[in-house]
Amino acid sequence: MSQHPEYEKWQELATKLMKGKPLDSLDWQTPEGIKVKPLYTAEDIEGLECANTLPGLAPYVRGPMATMYAGRAWTIRQYAGFSTAKESNEFYRKALAAGQKGLSVAFDLATHRGYDSDHPRVTGDVGKAGVAIDSVEDMKILFDGIPLDKMSVSMTMNGAVIPILASYIVAAEEQGVAHEQLTGTIQNDILKEYLTRNTFIYPPTPSMRIVSDIIGFCSKNMPRYNTISISGYHMMEAGANSVLQVAFTMADGLEYVRTALNAGMDIDEFAPRLSFFFGIGMNFFMDIAMLRAARLLWHNLMQQFNPKNPRSAMLRTHCQTSGWSLTEQDPYNNVIRTTLEALTSVLGGTQSLHTNSFDEAIGLPTDFSARIARNTQIIIQEESEVCHVIDPLGGSYYVESLTNSIVDSAMKIINEVEELGGMAKAIESGMPKMRIEESAARKQARIDQGLDVIVGVNKYQLKDEKIDFEVREVPASVRDDQVARINQIRETRDQAAVDAALTEITRISKEGGNLLEAALPAMRARATVGEVSDAMEKVFGRFVANTRCISGAYASEFASDSESLLHLRQRTENFLKNHGRRPRMLVTKMGQDGHDRGIKVIASAYADIGFDVDIGPLFQTPEEAAKMAIENDVHVVGASSLTAGHKTLVPGLVEELKKQGGEDIKVVAGGIIPPKDYDYLFERGVQAVFGPGTSVIDSANRTLDLIEAAA
């Protein structure tokens, strides 16, 4: 195609308006490394595979269904769960009555990690970031009055996926619902847990066997059920840019396909029930193009397996708006952020969507904020009139070109993973995790300098106005209620039947067989989630992740003469000169929360500034963190909390330091901590609290102030 006949005329006009600046100064280099021009023309999409395609037909760039939302709108599927099964059930019923179309269950971290609510390691986690499920009895309460033969249920579960899915199946049986009637999705995506979220239990090899067993059982017995939701969302939340998110998600998908094939399954037996899950951030067009690119990539990658059923190469996805993009500062801005991200998901062609609540940077969402989040989708669906046209951005010079750029960039990373032997081997090498952590550190550095604008955080800050609103708080009594129910179950069940079923699970774990099938008798007999998990752990063991700190990524985003960075580096050098060692910090996450973006960014940035930084292993107790802090002779402990355990775990750390003789060690806290709880923490010995959006530069200066004052 020849150049647009008037392109030179446009170029001349545009150059005049630049007033001496070169026209290419308008080019934007995205965090993904993609150059975005200020103008796109038909020339930019000439010959592209992604351009001029049709919805419902390979390669599915414009959507997996021929009519998309013109025929049926996406499913409004809000992710929710907290406290007890009874409270969550009441919340679900209200949401369904208000227009929600499907359920997406959030489990608490104790459940994710395969611990019963009475386990000593989960004192600060029960019911806090999701609903506590200890047995079939909890699952029955969770879905009381909700017919499981008619309701599509998505469950975000990976670590304890065997007992949780078995509990759901048994709860449905006791509603009179046959296996083949069940519809929905189990996440069952363990690979990304080793990269980002860390709610694993077992090492990778037996965990992949569990994935295969679930795919095998459900393919035969639950043909309407999606056996895996291959998730990029948690990669995005951990810091992955859009290219990294789509590349590693596709690579994970390939690994699962090969695992199922190696287990003897036919590609068309299971591939049509694979689904995906992407996170949507604030780069509007980038993430629209990412979803279109993902469908093209998956179709093309699946051709190597010679599927006969077109649905085997058809990518269907759920999306969720970004939690990380929400801010504590000026939080009502989050309503606008979520709306834009929701529209991105819709214009990108998602099949279902969760919209985050505006208060989730501060605490658990309330009924009020959840209603706004849900209505955001309903208003887009019912009032915006966007559903009448299939893929309205198809044919956009910019969107089609950007889609192609993402495909090309992602394929380079996918090929890199393949050269390492696939995603499991790549994870063992540490490559994907380090790439994501580097991306997160660079992002934070750009925000701290104001290069990436966050309204209300690093630009247009509120000066005098204080915003205060209700934040949901889960009382400590929730754990007491769960423990009481567990005790009642154990007193009334047939213990011999439970023991026999658990012994059989251990045998099958060792000798082979389908673990999901083996778990069903145990859950029917009222074994607990923790007992079933332990029965497998006897053979598989419990996985412990290595914690490493990248270096240089944060500082590399600063100019060599950056005053703020140089000032901090001078302060740490002065401390070294005056005290014979550098300021030393331990960063830790206590409890069962494995979301480690925050501590990894802090550790990397503080190391670049000149601190000596130790990173505690995940899932420490306050006692273990205090012991490590004393043994490492640190000046300060930085405790991160994202899941409402701050009122239990952080004061517990302060007390343990006193008990163990480390009362001189300062404790600072960061993460999602409601401002109303700051005084509670200060009264219990916490020296500073750094909420979401706090600049690393600011937090490092304040931390140095504390260390120097005590030196």
Side-chain angles (χ1 to χ4, degrees):
M1 181 182 289
S2 60
Q3 184 175 281
H4 192 284
E6 295 195 292
Y7 183 82
E8 290 183 2
K9 189 174 181 181
W10 168 82
Q11 197 173 37
E12 183 181 338
L13 287 170
T15 301
K16 284 181 181 178
L17 290 171
M18 293 299 293
K19 298 180 179 178
K21 293 181 181 178
L23 193 55
D24 61 9
S25 66
L26 295 177
D27 293 347
W28 172 46
Q29 195 77 13
T30 76
E32 292 79 8
I34 295 169
K35 186 177 82 169
V36 172
K37 304 183 297 181
L39 178 69
Y40 287 79
T41 67
E43 189 178 20
D44 290 291
I45 64 171
E46 185 179 7
L48 298 186
E49 184 185 6
C50 59
N52 200 26
T53 64
L54 291 172
L57 298 176
Y60 309 108
V61 177
R62 303 191 69 184
M65 307 303 168
T67 57
M68 289 300 289
Y69 310 144
R72 178 187 174 189
W74 69 92
T75 301
I76 300 170
R77 190 188 298 277
Q78 292 296 94
Y79 180 57
F82 53 87
S83 187
T84 62
K86 184 175 183 296
E87 268 201 84
S88 292
N89 174 263
E90 291 169 357
F91 186 89
Y92 293 162
R93 289 195 192 201
K94 287 179 185 175
L96 292 169
Q100 188 170 310
K101 301 301 183 184
L103 295 178
S104 182
V105 182
F107 298 95
D108 74 357
L109 290 164
T111 305
H112 274 288
R113 293 271 291 149
Y115 292 118
D116 288 330
S117 295
D118 59 353
H119 197 283
R121 299 195 75 87
V122 301
T123 54
D125 298 299
V126 176
K128 295 292 177 66
V131 61
I133 298 292
D134 291 306
S135 73
V136 169
E137 292 301 316
D138 289 329
M139 196 69 79
K140 288 172 68 176
I141 295 168
L142 186 66
F143 295 115
D144 182 42
I146 298 172
L148 294 178
D149 56 339
K150 296 180 175 65
M151 182 57 60
S152 172
V153 176
S154 173
M155 295 188 290
T156 299
M157 178 52 64
N158 303 284
V161 63
I162 289 289
I164 287 297
L165 184 53
S167 296
Y168 168 74
I169 293 169
V170 172
E173 290 174 355
E174 296 184 11
Q175 273 194 10
V177 179
H179 297 178
E180 60 268 21
Q181 293 176 285
L182 294 171
T183 61
T185 304
I186 188 75
Q187 189 165 95
N188 194 29
D189 177 9
I190 198 63
L191 287 174
K192 66 98 174 46
E193 298 297 330
Y194 301 106
L195 290 178
T196 58
R197 196 160 169 258
N198 297 304
T199 58
F200 43 70
I201 301 175
Y202 314 113
T205 298
S207 293
M208 289 296 287
R209 174 191 164 186
I210 287 170
V211 171
S212 177
D213 284 357
I214 289 170
I215 293 173
F217 178 91
C218 294
S219 296
K220 292 176 182 172
N221 300 286
M222 297 162 63
R224 300 171 63 198
Y225 198 77
N226 297 319
T227 53
I228 188 167
S229 176
I230 305 160
S231 174
Y233 177 84
H234 301 97
M235 299 180 198
M236 178 203 69
E237 291 290 276
N241 60 48
S242 297
V243 165
L244 289 173
Q245 179 182 184
V246 75
F248 290 147
T249 304
M250 296 296 102
D252 278 352
L254 287 176
E255 194 78 8
Y256 293 128
V257 168
R258 288 168 179 148
T259 296
L261 292 172
N262 291 337
M265 284 177 264
D266 180 81
I267 188 70
D268 292 319
E269 183 183 358
F270 65 89
R273 306 311 303 173
L274 301 177
S275 66
F276 288 80
F277 175 24
F278 288 101
I280 304 299
M282 284 296 290
N283 192 341
F284 187 76
F285 288 107
M286 180 67 73
D287 284 351
I288 290 170
M290 178 189 70
L291 294 178
R292 303 173 89 252
R295 290 191 287 268
L296 174 60
L297 282 163
W298 188 244
H299 170 267
N300 290 352
L301 289 167
M302 288 296 285
Q303 299 314 302
Q304 63 189 285
F305 306 113
N306 300 312
K308 304 293 188 295
N309 185 346
R311 292 180 63 84
S312 294
M314 183 189 293
L315 184 147
R316 297 161 298 112
T317 190
H318 173 74
C319 288
Q320 180 172 340
T321 61
S322 170
W324 185 84
S325 70
L326 305 178
T327 66
E328 178 191 53
Q329 300 86 345
D330 209 354
Y332 292 117
N333 288 342
N334 296 334
V335 176
I336 299 112
R337 292 185 178 104
T338 296
T339 302
L340 282 170
E341 291 166 354
L343 190 58
T344 299
S345 307
V346 170
L347 294 176
T350 191
Q351 278 61 71
S352 63
L353 177 61
H354 167 88
T355 34
N356 287 332
S357 300
F358 72 86
D359 52 358
E360 289 187 56
I362 297 170
L364 298 172
T366 62
D367 289 351
F368 171 70
S369 66
R371 186 177 80 246
I372 293 173
R374 182 173 57 252
N375 285 347
T376 299
Q377 290 196 58
I378 294 172
I379 289 167
I380 293 173
Q381 204 169 90
E382 301 287 350
E383 297 187 28
S384 73
E385 309 295 357
V386 299
C387 294
H388 296 297
V389 176
I390 304 161
D391 187 30
L393 293 180
S396 159
Y397 304 138
Y398 175 38
V399 171
E400 300 286 15
S401 178
L402 189 56
T403 299
N404 185 70
S405 294
I406 293 173
V407 169
D408 287 347
S409 299
M411 275 307 307
K412 290 176 183 175
I413 298 170
I414 293 167
N415 289 334
E416 197 176 340
V417 170
E418 291 290 280
E419 287 170 8
L420 290 169
M423 198 57 173
K425 294 290 185 184
I427 288 170
E428 288 176 8
S429 77
M431 183 272 279
K433 191 172 184 67
M434 296 299 282
R435 291 279 181 89
I436 293 170
E437 290 174 3
E438 180 183 359
S439 176
R442 290 182 181 277
K443 178 69 174 178
Q444 187 62 51
R446 291 194 300 273
I447 293 170
D448 288 349
Q449 295 175 87
L451 300 175
D452 289 1
V453 173
I454 310 291
V455 174
V457 175
N458 60 7
K459 198 172 184 179
Y460 309 112
Q461 299 101 325
L462 287 175
K463 298 299 182 186
D464 302 314
E465 184 180 353
K466 187 177 180 181
I467 295 177
D468 191 23
F469 49 77
E470 178 191 1
V471 175
R472 185 187 297 276
E473 184 167 351
V474 176
S477 60
V478 166
R479 185 170 187 253
D480 297 334
D481 294 342
Q482 287 298 121
V483 171
R485 186 175 295 109
I486 291 172
N487 290 336
Q488 183 183 25
I489 288 168
R490 286 173 177 158
E491 288 169 3
T492 56
R493 69 190 182 181
D494 182 343
Q495 191 60 45
V498 172
D499 291 343
L502 293 173
T503 299
E504 180 66 3
I505 291 171
T506 300
R507 186 190 70 78
I508 287 176
S509 299
K510 186 177 183 179
E511 298 177 8
N514 192 288
L515 285 164
L516 179 55
E517 189 174 359
L520 291 173
M523 303 318 290
R524 292 183 188 118
R526 293 316 189 255
T528 65
V529 168
E531 289 168 339
V532 171
S533 298
D534 288 347
M536 291 184 283
E537 187 179 338
K538 287 177 181 177
V539 177
F540 300 152
R542 186 171 279 265
F543 183 72
V544 179
N546 292 321
T547 53
R548 293 186 291 179
C549 176
I550 60 170
S551 61
Y554 180 85
S556 69
E557 291 291 325
F558 286 79
S560 58
D561 60 349
S562 167
E563 185 177 334
S564 59
L565 188 63
L566 290 174
H567 172 70
L568 269 168
R569 282 178 165 172
Q570 189 59 56
R571 288 191 69 183
T572 57
E573 289 299 319
N574 289 342
F575 189 92
L576 172 62
K577 183 180 177 181
N578 295 331
H579 301 282
R581 65 178 184 133
R582 295 186 175 279
R584 193 174 188 96
M585 183 180 200
L586 169 68
V587 287
T588 182
K589 288 189 72 71
M590 297 174 288
Q592 298 306 304
D593 177 23
H595 296 84
D596 60 355
R597 173 178 182 157
I599 65 168
K600 291 297 183 65
V601 167
I602 289 295
S604 299
Y606 274 47
D608 286 356
I609 287 165
F611 281 70
D612 282 336
V613 183
D614 301 305
I615 307 176
L618 291 170
F619 316 122
Q620 285 187 310
T621 63
E623 181 182 11
E624 290 164 345
K627 184 172 184 287
M628 184 174 180
I630 293 167
E631 288 177 349
N632 291 15
D633 194 22
V634 303
H635 297 100
V636 63
V637 181
S640 172
S641 176
L642 298 178
T643 53
H646 56 277
K647 292 176 75 172
T648 305
L649 297 169
V650 182
L653 172 62
V654 175
E655 287 303 309
E656 282 296 334
L657 285 168
K658 290 177 181 175
K659 280 184 192 177
Q660 298 181 36
E663 60 272 2
D664 293 337
I665 297 173
K666 307 297 181 184
V667 174
V668 300
I672 298 176
I673 300 173
K676 69 180 183 64
D677 291 343
Y678 284 17
D679 286 342
Y680 178 92
L681 296 177
F682 294 149
E683 290 165 4
R684 285 155 180 80
V686 176
Q687 298 294 305
V689 180
F690 306 120
T694 304
S695 159
V696 169
I697 297 294
D698 290 344
S699 73
N701 273 309
R702 290 171 62 188
T703 302
L704 274 170
D705 289 343
L706 291 170
I707 295 172
E708 289 171 345

